[in-house]
Amino acid sequence: MPFFSKGQGSSGLLSGQDTTAARIPTSAMPFLGFTPDARSAGMGDVGVALSPMDANAIFWNPSKLVFAEKERGVALSYTPWLRNLTDDMYFTYLSGFRKLGKNQVLGFSLLYFDLGTIEFTNSSGQSEGSFGSREYAFTLSYSRRLFRNFSMGVNAKYANSNLAGNYSLNGMTIKPASTVMADISGYYENEIRDEVSGKGIKWAFGGMLSNVGGKVSYGTTQRYFLPTNLRLGTTFTYYTDRFNKFNFAVDLNKLMTPTPPLYQTVNGQPVLVNGQKVVLKGREYDNLTSLSGAFGSFADAPDGFAEELKEVNINTGVEYWYNDAFAARLGYAHEARIKGDRKYFTTGIGLRVQNKYGVDFAYLIPMRQGSPLAQTFRLSLILDLKKKDRSAELDEEIEE
């Protein structure tokens, strides 16, 4: 059955040994957590409090868009996926927003993940056909300014995961899974800057609870957790003058799915061997509701609080801008060894033309040789538009 890992390992019933793979929280539809845009990817996958904002903020934190300098914008990103393993997987992200006055924003996004072609074979190795696996999520977004420096936003999502069509295996039919879910976010920013010299500082804080919804099924009685995720972050901006600035950003990221309990087989029976059993209000792991599993994930790790801290991923990045036209980026992402062991550096560049058109590029450099994430790059195209000031339009009419 399709059951996906937060990191590179997998989880399930152990057979006579305690492996670190079983310590990794898992979920269905992990593509919902993929970094879609090249700017954030170049900074170590940070973004919840990053500014200036473009349409990609719908993924990271839609409440940021209230503070966007432009009235509307569109972004399109493309990422070949797992290039070190295959050449037919990719995901793409399209997003857009429009301001409704100074205090409200509407937005949308579409995330599409093509998993390539799967070849089906029987127990004898004979071909039983193939299928093009794919997943997608469509999002509608609304954000509103509540105070001068603070805003909140919500996303409503529909996601579909079609991994095997309606393929039958041992009398079991694997069907597409679909569900609705929601995100909620908040954002605060403030700035102190000299208007003449351009020197100053800016600080921002953001938070995003994403993919909150019920468990999903792929056609069987087994139901799987969504990748409910909590992300908190901050960004500090230092303006050295009117043309140069640096962004320093840190995000903390927690996948809110239960840590699987550890078992080994004794006399043909599964026996708990390490840590506490995942039980909330009398319900074991497989019978947890989505909300019980999400909020219980803060206190269910077999080794207690020390292990809970290891389930928090750290993403950090730095970005340099010259005249809001050229950017250079570096970043680092860290995941604990027993929680997937994804550790990598990132780098990237960005260009803006006429303060309207933009292109970003990012490249990932894993710390571990043979990582399936090797050779990953992302490319994003940005279009930001600002309504022409009415007084400027009148001046043009007078000149004519």
Side-chain angles (χ1 to χ4, degrees):
M1 278 301 297
F3 200 70
F4 303 98
S5 166
K6 175 182 177 182
Q8 300 304 325
S10 60
S11 70
L13 184 65
L14 298 184
S15 179
Q17 59 181 349
D18 177 5
T19 67
T20 58
R23 313 296 281 270
I24 304 173
T26 57
S27 77
M29 301 184 181
F31 79 103
L32 294 171
F34 291 173
T35 295
D37 65 299
R39 183 190 179 197
S40 289
M43 296 180 65
D45 298 336
V46 300
V48 72
L50 191 61
S51 66
M53 305 78 177
D54 55 43
N56 292 302
I58 293 172
F59 174 87
W60 294 103
N61 185 346
S63 55
K64 296 194 303 179
L65 289 172
V66 173
F67 296 90
E69 298 177 356
K70 303 303 174 66
E71 301 296 328
R72 54 191 184 273
V74 178
L76 177 64
S77 300
Y78 171 76
T79 303
W81 195 237
L82 302 183
R83 296 177 63 223
N84 209 30
L85 301 178
T86 182
D87 60 0
D88 65 348
M89 295 178 65
Y90 72 92
F91 66 91
T92 185
Y93 185 69
L94 173 67
S95 57
F97 75 93
R98 182 183 180 88
K99 284 191 173 182
L100 304 177
K102 294 182 179 181
N103 299 319
Q104 300 182 84
V105 180
L106 289 178
F108 77 93
S109 71
L110 176 64
L111 176 61
Y112 179 82
F113 182 34
D114 191 318
L115 289 83
T117 301
I118 294 178
E119 299 291 338
F120 300 117
T121 59
N122 58 25
S123 58
S124 301
Q126 297 177 329
S127 176
E128 292 189 349
S130 61
F131 181 77
S133 300
R134 56 192 179 275
E135 298 177 299
Y136 66 88
F138 180 74
T139 300
L140 291 176
S141 177
Y142 173 77
S143 305
R144 184 178 182 87
R145 187 196 307 265
L146 301 182
F147 304 101
R148 186 174 71 90
N149 299 104
F150 179 74
S151 61
M152 294 193 71
V154 293
N155 289 337
K157 295 180 181 177
Y158 170 79
N160 182 279
S161 175
N162 193 353
L163 301 179
N166 289 285
Y167 180 71
S168 293
L169 177 65
N170 298 326
M172 176 182 64
T173 301
I174 302 175
K175 298 181 179 180
S178 61
T179 187
V180 294
M181 64 197 81
D183 307 335
I184 184 169
S185 67
Y187 178 75
Y188 171 87
E189 72 170 30
N190 210 338
E191 182 179 81
I192 300 175
R193 192 175 184 188
D194 183 78
E195 295 183 359
V196 178
S197 66
K199 294 182 178 181
I201 60 173
K202 177 180 178 180
W203 60 97
F205 303 93
M208 177 87 157
L209 179 61
S210 57
N211 307 322
V212 178
K215 298 166 76 173
V216 298
S217 170
Y218 285 85
T220 70
T221 57
Q222 182 70 44
R223 301 185 66 83
Y224 303 100
F225 292 100
L226 291 174
T228 302
N229 189 82
L230 176 64
R231 185 184 293 269
L232 302 174
T234 183
T235 298
F236 176 81
T237 302
Y238 175 53
Y239 300 93
T240 60
D241 52 38
R242 294 174 56 193
F243 301 102
N244 300 276
K245 67 178 179 181
F246 294 86
N247 286 322
F248 304 90
V250 177
D251 282 7
L252 301 178
N253 182 53
K254 160 72 173 175
L255 181 64
M256 295 171 58
T257 61
T259 303
L262 301 184
Y263 294 93
Q264 73 178 45
T265 302
V266 177
N267 296 326
Q269 297 296 323
V271 177
L272 188 73
V273 294
N274 189 359
Q276 65 186 40
K277 201 170 187 177
V278 181
V279 178
L280 296 177
K281 295 182 180 179
R283 294 186 292 271
E284 295 185 11
Y285 179 87
D286 289 339
N287 295 323
L288 289 173
T289 66
S290 58
L291 290 180
S292 295
F295 291 102
S297 67
F298 291 95
D300 64 1
D303 288 341
F305 183 70
E307 184 174 345
E308 292 293 347
L309 290 178
K310 294 178 181 179
E311 293 186 356
V312 178
N313 292 351
I314 302 173
N315 305 82
T316 183
V318 60
E319 177 182 56
Y320 164 73
W321 278 98
Y322 173 74
N323 200 27
D324 291 329
F326 171 78
R329 305 173 180 118
L330 292 172
Y332 174 70
H334 175 87
E335 182 177 63
R337 183 184 62 83
I338 67 170
K339 299 300 175 179
D341 200 28
R342 289 177 298 179
K343 300 180 180 69
Y344 49 86
F345 291 97
T346 64
T347 185
I349 59 173
L351 298 173
R352 299 294 184 268
V353 179
Q354 298 178 355
N355 202 25
K356 181 186 301 183
Y357 309 102
V359 58
D360 294 315
F361 177 83
Y363 191 79
L364 186 151
I365 307 169
M367 295 183 62
R368 178 166 57 89
Q369 288 189 348
S371 169
L373 296 177
Q375 303 182 36
T376 297
F377 73 85
R378 289 176 175 84
L379 181 66
S380 297
L381 303 177
I382 310 293
L383 173 62
D384 287 323
L385 300 174
K386 186 174 183 178
K387 291 181 180 178
K388 184 178 291 187
D389 186 77
R390 182 56 183 165
S391 61
E393 293 179 351
L394 291 175
D395 290 341
E396 290 180 0
E397 293 176 359
I398 293 174
E399 291 177 0
E400 293 176 355

